Amino acid sequence: MTLLAVDSLSKTFGRSSRRGAQREVEAVVDLTFNIEAGEFLTIIGPSGCGKSTLLRLLAGLEQPDSGQITLQTQPLPDPSDRQGRFGYMPQRDTLLPWRTVLENVILGVELAGGSRETARDEARQLLPLFGLDGFENNWPSTLSGGMRQRAALLRTFLAGYDILLLDEPFGALDALTRRMLQQWLLGVRTRFSKTILFITHDIDEALLLGDRMLVFSPRPGRITADLKIDLPDPRDVNTILEPDFLTLKRNALAHLKL
């Protein structure tokens, strides 16, 4: 069943030059795709091609110039219609330094008007799954980069949204930590019925985690390929060495214009 439909979505920004004149910058052009309930959709493309703009349009942080976003057959024409419908995690973890890990991860529930005590109870149950057991009273400054990202992801999962928009959640991590978190996320996603849009610059990550992959062109971003990732489960970090994976990677690289 189609959960989210994006039809002919385009966005252009105005940019001021040194002389004060406005220069238009096309971010994305004519984006059209659907995503099914429970699907993990990865999005890959060169820097500056509009991937993050797409997530901001979906989250209601930007307004498209044209096109339509439809959620469960309901059009969402205005940013206010989309705000509060998606769990959005930007590239940085944005943990609040004056709140403990536990108080950070329940923030989304608080902002939505939910029960703090219920959120705390649920968070305590999920801390072990997210590798944070025993760190609930720590300050963010005492955590490693990987732990901060897991805390930010727990906050996003805990907020209760069916659709999660994850903008390069592992992009700032070193290669070893990144591989560990990919393995962790493969395990976590089986515990939740979430639909996920996941931006990455790492083609191995896109293929390892996703059910489908959208390939974006250089700016202005257009979808140049919509590829099904037909790999057997369960997957792990060694999947990237399998012949079927390498075949998919060669096909994806043929569509990726760098």
Side-chain angles (χ1 to χ4, degrees), residues 36-243:
E36 305 298 311
E39 195 169 23
F40 196 123
L41 181 68
T42 55
I43 303 170
I44 192 167
S47 294
C49 70
K51 303 183 299 295
S52 295
T53 296
L54 169 61
L55 295 198
R56 290 178 62 83
L57 290 168
L58 293 174
L61 302 176
E62 302 283 356
Q63 177 67 353
D65 299 322
S66 60
Q68 182 168 273
I69 299 167
T70 303
L71 180 63
Q72 292 180 321
T73 72
Q74 178 186 356
L76 305 175
D78 298 318
S80 59
D81 297 325
R82 300 189 295 278
Q83 291 167 3
R85 300 292 191 101
F86 303 89
Y88 174 57
M89 180 178 165
Q91 294 178 17
R92 297 184 181 274
D93 59 65
T94 64
L95 298 179
L96 301 178
W98 58 86
R99 294 179 68 125
T100 64
V101 168
L102 183 62
E103 294 303 306
N104 262 290
V105 301
I106 68 169
L107 182 60
V109 178
E110 281 187 75
L111 294 176
S115 166
R116 286 171 56 90
E117 290 308 312
T118 300
R120 283 195 185 99
D121 290 343
E122 187 174 356
R124 289 190 180 99
Q125 293 176 32
L126 291 174
L127 284 168
L129 180 63
F130 281 73
L132 296 167
D133 194 22
F135 291 89
E136 58 267 30
N137 295 319
N138 280 53
W139 304 109
S141 60
T142 68
L143 304 181
S144 68
M147 294 175 73
R148 290 177 66 101
Q149 291 303 98
R150 288 198 298 271
L153 281 164
L154 175 53
R155 180 179 59 195
T156 307
F157 274 79
L158 196 64
Y161 298 107
D162 292 329
I163 302 178
L164 306 183
L165 311 175
L166 308 181
D167 191 350
E168 291 194 78
F170 306 149
L173 303 175
D174 64 85
L176 181 59
T177 303
R178 187 169 189 151
R179 290 288 179 248
M180 291 172 60
L181 286 187
Q182 288 167 1
Q183 181 67 64
W184 166 80
L185 185 56
L186 285 168
V188 167
R189 63 171 295 203
T190 63
R191 294 279 301 270
F192 298 89
S193 299
K194 301 291 185 183
T195 304
I196 299 175
L197 284 77
F198 184 105
I199 287 177
T200 179
H201 281 99
D202 185 334
I203 194 166
D204 285 354
E205 183 171 77
L207 293 169
L208 177 65
L209 297 177
D211 301 312
R212 279 170 55 217
M213 181 173 70
L214 298 182
V215 180
F216 272 42
S217 69
R219 191 176 68 211
R222 294 178 171 87
I223 296 173
T224 60
D226 185 340
L227 306 175
K228 181 176 176 56
I229 303 172
D230 192 12
L231 291 171
D233 290 320
R235 303 177 196 176
D236 60 32
V237 292
N238 294 316
T239 299
I240 65 174
L241 304 175
E242 298 294 329

